[in-house]
Amino acid sequence: MKSVIILVISIVHILSFLEPIGGDIAAAGCSFPHYAGSKKDYPKLKPFIGKSYKVTDPKGEYTYTVAICAPAGGVDKAGAVQVEKKHPDNDPVVLGLYNNADIISGTDWLYLEYLGGKTYNRHCSGEGRRAVIMLTCDESISDLQAQMVILEENKNKSAGCYYLFELSHQDICPNKPASNLSLGSIFIIVMFSLIAVYLFFGFLYQRFVLGAKGMEQVPNYGFWLDFGNLQADGCNFVCRTGENRGPRTYKGVGDDQLDDMEERDDHLLPM
């Protein structure tokens, strides 16, 4: 992780020379003079604006105060300051100004840089100090658990020196996309879930309580067996139209009809 952060810092430092853009972009206390894109990335910083963090270096020699687009340690326009513990009454060393800042963001990280700090005496060719704050995503950390740490002071080179701070917070994490399921999709999911529960528990009941075997294990097997016929009967009753004919009756043959038939057949007899 540290190597990735250093790589990002190096790229930003190179871009600051390649793409200078004149004019300040002011937003809620911060000014971003180097990149027009800073205004686009600024909304991700809003949950942290005005917050201040106290940091102590691992050796316990210095105390740092880092504020987000606000005065740090009561020093006007200072976004980050350093105080030596052995000499707490000395004036704080300004590490960077929040009215001379850059900001770049990624999917789950945000890079904030304060430029224009107090110049070095013997290091980094006497350039001004700068503070880099890397805000990274951690969904388990809220304001109550958030703690800023200092990773290093990189001053062993001729230029591009910086103080590197890191803060993990859940507000840096990308928003999870909302569900796009329609009411119809939700209804189908619920319906199939109920059918699955019905079949599963019905099978268990038929199998282990009633001792059914084979197809008889299907719950309400008789009903489902006749389900198609029931549908056909219902369709026939509702959809088909026509004259309601009564049952066909058959008239019996009487004795008088038999006598007439005999008389009509007499001429067929041999003489």
Side-chain angles (χ1 to χ4, degrees):
M1 181 65 183
K2 184 176 178 180
S3 60
V4 174
I5 293 174
I6 293 174
L7 178 60
V8 171
I9 293 172
S10 302
I11 295 173
V12 171
H13 185 67
I14 293 172
L15 291 175
S16 65
F17 292 100
L18 294 178
E19 300 180 7
I21 296 177
D24 289 349
I25 301 172
C30 274
S31 297
F32 307 103
H34 293 285
Y35 296 101
S38 296
K39 189 174 182 179
K40 171 181 64 68
D41 295 324
Y42 179 75
K44 292 184 179 182
L45 193 63
K46 286 186 176 181
F48 303 94
I49 292 178
K51 295 179 181 178
S52 182
Y53 301 90
K54 291 282 187 179
V55 185
T56 301
D57 71 311
K59 296 181 180 179
E61 297 177 354
Y62 298 96
T63 300
Y64 300 88
T65 303
V66 181
I68 308 299
C69 292
V75 181
D76 186 35
K77 297 182 181 179
V81 296
Q82 177 194 62
V83 175
E84 189 176 1
K85 283 193 172 184
K86 291 183 178 179
H87 306 286
D89 296 332
N90 291 352
D91 291 337
V93 177
V94 177
L95 306 183
L97 306 175
Y98 62 81
N99 66 345
N100 186 11
D102 282 333
I103 178 173
I104 298 176
S105 67
T107 304
D108 56 357
W109 58 268
L110 191 146
Y111 172 101
L112 177 64
E113 181 181 30
Y114 294 143
L115 304 170
K118 184 179 179 180
T119 58
Y120 285 99
N121 293 326
R122 300 184 301 272
H123 304 286
C124 304
S125 303
E127 69 177 5
R129 289 173 169 82
R130 63 176 181 146
V132 174
I133 302 102
M134 287 295 300
L135 295 96
T136 57
C137 166
D138 190 330
E139 294 184 352
S140 64
I141 298 179
S142 63
D143 283 335
L144 297 177
Q145 298 86 25
Q147 291 184 348
M148 184 174 290
V149 296
I150 181 169
L151 299 182
E152 67 172 334
E153 178 190 0
N154 191 330
K155 61 180 181 180
N156 298 320
K157 52 185 181 179
S158 59
C161 301
Y162 57 85
Y163 292 82
L164 178 58
F165 302 89
E166 184 182 27
L167 176 67
S168 297
H169 200 283
Q170 60 186 12
D171 287 340
I172 298 297
C173 300
N175 295 327
K176 296 181 179 179
S179 175
N180 294 323
L181 292 177
S182 63
L183 292 177
S185 300
I186 295 174
F187 173 77
I188 292 175
I189 292 173
V190 172
M191 182 182 69
F192 277 99
S193 298
L194 292 176
I195 292 175
V197 171
Y198 162 75
L199 292 174
F200 178 74
F201 286 102
F203 171 83
L204 293 180
Y205 179 80
Q206 294 288 111
R207 172 81 175 184
F208 298 104
V209 177
L210 301 181
K213 302 292 183 180
M215 295 299 296
E216 296 294 334
Q217 297 174 97
V218 177
N220 303 110
Y221 176 70
F223 168 78
W224 296 115
L225 194 62
D226 294 334
F227 185 66
N229 294 332
L230 294 174
Q231 283 184 315
D233 292 342
C235 180
N236 182 56
F237 177 78
V238 174
C239 300
R240 293 185 180 179
T241 59
E243 184 178 350
N244 187 15
R245 300 177 181 179
R248 183 178 296 178
T249 58
Y250 296 92
K251 185 177 180 181
V253 179
D255 293 339
D256 55 343
Q257 293 176 321
L258 292 175
D259 293 340
D260 293 340
M261 292 176 63
E262 290 177 356
E263 291 177 357
R264 288 196 299 269
D265 292 341
D266 287 344
H267 67 284
L268 298 175
L269 295 177
M271 300 300 297

